[in-house]
Amino acid sequence: MELKTVVSRAKRGFREDLRLYLVAVSSLAVAFLCLAGALLAIDNMSVLADQWGTSRRMTVYLRDGAALKDVEELRVLLEGLPGVERAGYVSSAEARRKFLEQADLGGDLAALPADAFPASLEVELLSGVAVQRLEDVSARVARFGVVEDVETYRSWFTQLESLVETGRGVAGALALLVILCALAVVGNTIRLAIAGRRSEIEVMKLCGATDAFVRWPFVVEGAVQGFAAAALALLVLTVSYVALRSDIDATVASFTGVRTVFLHPASLVALLLGGGVMGAIGSVFSVRRYLAI
């Protein structure tokens, strides 16, 4: 059986059942959009986790009224510790300015006085410094009288890692649901299409048409449905991402220091091919029961 014949018959099938297939593609696109959105969220959380996991940093919050001489001595001491790359002083006024500049929130927050933002020392450790070393430095610094609190962000990072793992599990379950949805939607759509062409199939079988001759055009139709649904979902996700990225980055990057990323090309290809494969499989299961006509 020639490929040209299969494609030609599949095209005719699409023309005859166009409305039916459009409904199926639209329904599947919603499912693929949910899956792609979940993958996008997980990718961005993973980037954030990697960024914060490899960057060893901590913030030393200073007491109100701390003498600059004492603060400078602490800064020099910190920079002299093994594993510490630098320690920079951030005044209350500078902390306020950076917050308002990066957060871009405006409104009532712009009226907050500098006293609402504690002065601090932003400490950066050398790459590859062990977590235990970070905790040791934190415990040592906390003993100084000018220090109000020390934030290492470890608890936050641990929660983020846990959230990423949970998200991956949810994405896996969602992928399974999308697969079942694709099989069911495409399968039922092909069944309806076969019912509408039942007389044609009967004639072909009576004329000696093989099972493959009957099956392959429907398989192509199912594969195109799955592929088109995945492509439509990715198109909607891409347009939404491009339209909202600047607004999201203005807030997210100011608090995390990480800009949002889009789905990896491998994920895009996997979604497109997966949609086509699931559509083809759903079609095969639907056609099988009708080949005995």
Side-chain angles (χ1 to χ4, degrees), residues 90-103 114 117:
V90 179
S91 65
S92 298
E94 186 177 358
R96 175 183 179 278
R97 180 185 61 78
K98 286 184 176 181
F99 176 80
L100 296 179
E101 180 182 89
Q102 295 176 350
F117 300 85

Side-chain angles (χ1 to χ4, degrees), residues 125-149:
L125 282 76
L126 296 173
S127 178
V129 172
V131 174
Q132 185 58 47
R133 178 57 183 168
L134 178 63
E135 298 297 335
D136 291 342
V137 173
S138 171
R140 183 173 179 179
V141 171
R143 300 192 188 101
F144 285 81
V146 296
V147 176
E148 178 71 29
D149 190 22

Side-chain angles (χ1 to χ4, degrees), residues 108-129:
D108 296 335
L109 291 179
L112 288 174
D115 294 342
F117 300 85
S120 64
L121 289 174
E122 296 294 335
V123 182
E124 296 181 9
L125 282 76
L126 296 173
S127 178
V129 172

Side-chain angles (χ1 to χ4, degrees), residues 61-279:
Y61 293 104
L62 304 172
R63 295 185 183 278
D64 293 338
L68 292 179
K69 178 182 177 181
D70 295 334
V71 174
E72 181 62 19
E73 289 179 354
L74 176 59
R75 189 190 68 79
V76 173
L77 175 63
L78 281 170
E79 291 188 339
L81 292 176
V84 175
E85 183 175 9
R86 64 178 297 274
Y89 175 69
V90 179
S91 65
S92 298
E94 186 177 358
R96 175 183 179 278
R97 180 185 61 78
K98 286 184 176 181
F99 176 80
L100 296 179
E101 180 182 89
Q102 295 176 350
D104 193 24
L105 298 175
D108 296 335
L109 291 179
L112 288 174
D115 294 342
F117 300 85
S120 64
L121 289 174
E122 296 294 335
V123 182
E124 296 181 9
L125 282 76
L126 296 173
S127 178
V129 172
V131 174
Q132 185 58 47
R133 178 57 183 168
L134 178 63
E135 298 297 335
D136 291 342
V137 173
S138 171
R140 183 173 179 179
V141 171
R143 300 192 188 101
F144 285 81
V146 296
V147 176
E148 178 71 29
D149 190 22
V150 179
E151 177 60 72
T152 62
Y153 308 100
R154 292 306 305 169
S155 60
W156 183 86
F157 176 66
T158 300
Q159 293 176 1
L160 180 60
E161 283 184 320
S162 176
L163 183 61
V164 170
E165 291 301 320
T166 302
R168 286 172 179 162
V170 172
L174 185 58
L176 179 59
L177 290 177
V178 170
I179 291 174
L180 295 177
C181 180
L183 293 176
V185 171
V186 173
N188 290 329
T189 303
I190 294 298
R191 286 193 187 97
L192 292 175
I194 292 175
R197 294 179 237 171
R198 190 181 186 91
S199 299
E200 177 185 344
I201 295 175
E202 289 178 347
V203 171
M204 288 190 295
K205 295 288 288 184
L206 290 174
C207 292
T210 63
D211 289 347
F213 186 84
V214 175
R215 179 191 301 115
W216 277 107
F218 290 106
V219 173
V220 172
E221 292 174 28
V224 172
Q225 288 180 64
F227 184 88
L232 179 59
L234 292 177
L235 177 62
V236 172
L237 184 65
T238 301
V239 172
S240 301
Y241 175 80
V242 172
L244 299 175
R245 182 180 183 182
S246 59
D247 294 332
I248 295 175
D249 279 348
T251 301
V252 175
S254 63
F255 288 102
T256 64
V258 178
R259 294 192 174 275
T260 56
V261 298
F262 195 59
L263 290 173
H264 192 275
S267 298
L268 299 177
V269 173
L271 285 170
L272 291 172
L273 294 181
V277 170
M278 288 303 103

